[in-house]
């Protein structure tokens, strides 16, 4: 799997298709976070932006290979493993961007009387939750489940919007916990949302990998 991850990461970097989601996320963070804002508010905002960005990266990674190259990789390592490596590469890229966004939020945000270590831990959990939720959206809204480019973009956008607003969404719960915690005593640590997001991402990724193994 390590070799497949290196291969997928090299494909992503050489394609330069990662630049667009990174620039959009950087603009989202730069416009929405202002110096002096509560750190928890800023962390929640930075984490929320990872949902569509991760879904976008997943769509890029699972479609980065030309069909012939993907067939060769699938023959050598198995289509399910190749697809899983693409999903994990996208998640790793999103987490890297999320870490930078969280650091920016911590540097710009005011402490608001909250312990810095606990605030940073809450931000880490929120980043993980939103990235995992976005990965689940991307896995369900990209090939092999959704093959048309236009349909995949529409499905990914609607899925990301649903992840932002639906009451059952782990991303919404984690971000709401941070925003609410900025106005109350103590610092929330949304571990329940993290567990739910991990299960959701694992289920969506497994379904996508199994379907990929059947179709390719």
């Amino acid at each position: 799997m390590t070799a497949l991850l290196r291969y997928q990461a090299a494909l992503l970097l050489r394609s330069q298709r990662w630049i667009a989601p990174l620039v959009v996320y950087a603009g989202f963070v730069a416009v929405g976070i202002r110096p002096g804002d509560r750190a928890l508010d800023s962390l929640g905002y930075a984490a929320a932006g990872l949902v569509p960005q991760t879904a976008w990266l997943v769509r890029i990674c699972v479609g980065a290979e030309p069909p012939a190259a993907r067939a060769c990789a699938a023959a050598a390592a198995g289509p399910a493993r190749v697809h899983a490596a693409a999903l994990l590469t996208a998640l790793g890229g999103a987490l890297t961007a999320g870490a930078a966004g969280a650091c920016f939020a911590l540097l710009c945000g005011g402490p608001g009387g909250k312990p810095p270590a606990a605030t940073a831990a809450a931000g880490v959990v929120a980043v993980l939750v939103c990235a995992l939720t976005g990965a689940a959206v991307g896995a369900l809204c990209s090939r092999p489940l959704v093959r048309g480019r236009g349909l995949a973009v529409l499905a990914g956008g609607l899925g990301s919007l649903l992840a932002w607003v639906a009451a059952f969404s782990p991303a919404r719960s984690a971000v709401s916990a941070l925003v609410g915690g900025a106005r109350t005593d103590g610092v929330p640590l949304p571990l329940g949302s993290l567990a739910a997001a991990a299960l959701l991402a694992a289920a969506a990724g497994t379904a996508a990998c199994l379907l990929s193994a059947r179709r390719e």
Side-chain angles (χ1 to χ4, degrees), residues 34-54:
R34 296 170 296 178
D37 287 347
R38 295 183 180 94
L40 285 176
D41 281 338
S42 299
L43 287 167
Y45 183 86
L50 285 177
V51 176
Q53 195 229 17
T54 310

Side-chain angles (χ1 to χ4, degrees), residues 37-182:
D37 287 347
R38 295 183 180 94
L40 285 176
D41 281 338
S42 299
L43 287 167
Y45 183 86
L50 285 177
V51 176
Q53 195 229 17
T54 310
W56 192 352
L57 279 176
V58 166
R59 193 178 71 82
I60 290 172
C61 286
V62 300
E65 292 174 285
R70 186 173 181 87
C72 291
R81 285 169 58 84
V82 172
H83 199 81
L87 295 177
L88 290 173
T89 299
L91 179 60
L95 287 174
T96 301
C103 289
F104 180 77
L106 286 170
L107 290 173
C108 289
K114 309 291 185 182
T119 300
V124 168
V125 173
V127 164
L128 287 170
V129 170
C130 290
L132 287 168
T133 303
V137 172
L140 294 175
C141 299
S142 303
R143 59 180 306 275
L145 283 87
V146 181
R147 289 188 173 270
R149 178 177 298 179
L151 186 58
V153 171
L154 178 61
L158 292 176
S160 298
L161 180 62
L162 185 64
W164 273 346
V165 302
F168 57 82
S169 168
R172 180 180 184 275
S173 298
V175 172
S176 297
L178 263 64
V179 172

